[in-house]
Amino acid sequence: MTPSSRTGGHGRRPHRVVVIAPAPLSMFNLAIPEMLFEKAEIDGRPGYEVVVCTPDPGSVTTTGGLDLHVRHGLDAVRDADTVLVAGTGHRYEPDPRTVAAVREAAAAGRRIASICSGAFVLAEAGLLDGRSATTYWELADELRRRYPALDLQADVLYIQDGDIMTASGYAAGIDLCLHIIRTDYGAAVANQVARRALVAPVRPGGQTQFTQTPLPPERGTACADTRGWAMRNLDKPLTLADLARHARVSVRTLTRRFHAESGVSPLQWLLHQRVERAKELLETTALPMDQVARACGLGTTDSLRAHLVRRTGLTPSAYRAQYDRRGTGTAPVASSIA
């Protein structure tokens, strides 16, 4: 059973995400799935149910010196659709009970994910042997040393390899959760969640066995207005000069500021947003391919096809057939946040 077939929808229960909280727990890593999954709605109904559990229910220490009361034990994992192991932000020895629960869930066909040092639990369970995985960069050498059978990709924010997903530290957990939402419900829902949570839009997605290499997190606001303006005008043939003119700076200054804030050049960012818009339109409308290409600014059907195949491995028609969300009642969104 695939994750998407377990997802809630018309007449179905919400997709149950069970988050395993290790001790000492990073409150930030725990807050991410609760914040994002709880904001996903399908036809006014919750798309997810989030349950937090721990090996020893009751008081769980956190890295911030607080105690958190967790009611559920590891029995909750048996009813999960997706199991997400939160991280501590530090090196720690995985609890054998948690390792066993995660291994059992994977054997039962559940989707398994981790944030930060949670990857050590997945590795200890043998789930990362021969797979690509990542973790927080400060822990990468330790993970590689202890589990040499995995293919560590320390320079990416998150990776999906089959039904196993791993994210590096802290804010990369946001990218991972948005990727999960997008996989289950489509780009329109994921981008709506991003807007409600006031975080960056969903990053590039892909298919099973596809390594996700998303855009870096944005680090500034000087070009925010221009990014928002560009998002509202994706159907137009925008150039570097157009962007610089809107920002009221030279092309050279725009390029320098844009890269400092977004980690990529203005045109790389613009192409990413055009492809993401194309995905939304393919998922949520019946527009002909030439109209999709024009609406997202890619111009022609051939251009749409080339960029989509390069990003996802799927042609536009194959992508629509696989990710068609029109039956869920979701509507296309007008734009993503800047």
Side-chain angles (χ1 to χ4, degrees):
M1 182 180 294
T2 63
S4 59
S5 66
R6 296 190 298 264
T7 298
H10 293 291
R12 302 181 185 177
R13 66 169 175 81
H15 183 105
R16 183 173 292 121
V17 178
V18 174
V19 182
I20 301 178
L25 173 70
S26 165
M27 291 287 287
F28 185 70
N29 284 338
L30 180 63
I32 289 170
E34 189 280 331
M35 174 182 69
L36 295 176
F37 291 128
E38 294 289 350
K39 292 185 183 300
E41 294 185 355
I42 311 299
D43 293 339
R45 301 178 181 179
Y48 296 92
E49 174 191 6
V50 179
V51 177
V52 179
C53 71
T54 192
D56 297 303
S59 181
V60 177
T61 59
T62 71
T63 55
L66 301 175
D67 287 338
L68 182 70
H69 184 79
V70 178
R71 298 193 306 272
H72 301 284
L74 291 174
D75 287 347
V77 173
R78 296 172 185 166
D79 296 322
D81 297 313
T82 294
V83 178
L84 193 156
V85 184
T88 66
H90 304 285
R91 292 178 176 83
Y92 75 108
E93 292 297 325
D95 188 302
R97 295 169 295 176
T98 299
V99 172
V102 170
R103 185 185 293 122
E104 180 181 337
R110 306 302 188 242
R111 182 169 56 188
I112 310 295
S114 69
I115 298 176
C116 193
S117 57
F120 282 78
V121 173
L122 275 57
E124 185 66 21
L127 303 183
L128 301 184
D129 291 352
R131 294 182 184 270
S132 296
T134 192
T135 190
Y136 185 43
W137 65 270
E138 289 187 347
L139 306 177
D141 289 342
E142 176 72 8
L143 185 66
R144 183 184 289 111
R145 183 185 65 78
R146 291 176 59 173
Y147 306 101
L150 64 82
D151 177 19
L152 183 66
Q153 305 290 323
D155 58 346
V156 299
L157 294 182
Y158 66 100
I159 289 176
Q160 175 176 349
D161 193 329
D163 256 7
I164 307 296
M165 305 180 183
T166 52
S168 58
Y170 300 102
I174 296 174
D175 296 297
L176 176 65
C177 290
L178 288 175
H179 168 66
I180 290 173
I181 295 169
R182 188 194 182 290
T183 300
D184 292 340
Y185 293 113
V189 174
N191 282 341
Q192 180 65 35
V193 170
R195 279 195 296 278
R196 294 183 65 189
L198 297 178
V199 298
V202 62
R203 314 303 189 182
Q207 300 182 86
T208 301
Q209 304 295 335
F210 184 78
T211 300
Q212 315 297 332
T213 308
L215 295 179
E218 294 178 358
R219 298 181 291 273
T221 59
C223 297
D225 286 346
T226 296
R227 288 195 294 271
W229 172 79
M231 292 296 298
R232 295 188 295 273
N233 291 275
L234 284 180
D235 58 326
K236 298 179 175 60
L238 302 177
T239 65
L240 264 179
D242 293 329
L243 297 173
R245 189 177 303 110
H246 181 274
R248 298 183 180 180
V249 295
S250 67
V251 169
R252 183 175 180 179
T253 297
L254 173 78
T255 302
R256 184 180 67 253
R257 290 180 181 176
F258 214 101
H259 196 282
E261 293 182 14
S262 301
V264 293
S265 71
L267 293 183
Q268 286 174 318
W269 177 89
L270 189 60
L271 177 59
H272 167 72
Q273 303 302 337
R274 292 192 191 283
V275 174
E276 286 301 299
R277 177 64 57 77
K279 290 178 183 178
E280 289 189 18
L281 294 174
L282 290 171
E283 293 172 13
T284 60
T285 76
L287 288 174
M289 297 305 173
D290 60 335
Q291 293 185 32
V292 171
R294 290 196 298 271
C296 65
L298 290 175
T300 67
T301 302
D302 287 343
S303 178
L304 170 65
R305 178 187 177 92
H307 287 296
L308 200 66
V309 168
R310 187 175 300 118
R311 293 292 184 93
T312 70
L314 295 173
T315 64
S317 58
Y319 185 91
R320 172 172 276 167
Q322 183 164 334
Y323 294 106
D324 190 344
R325 307 289 173 174
R326 283 172 289 170
T328 67
T330 58
V333 294
S335 64
S336 300
I337 63 172

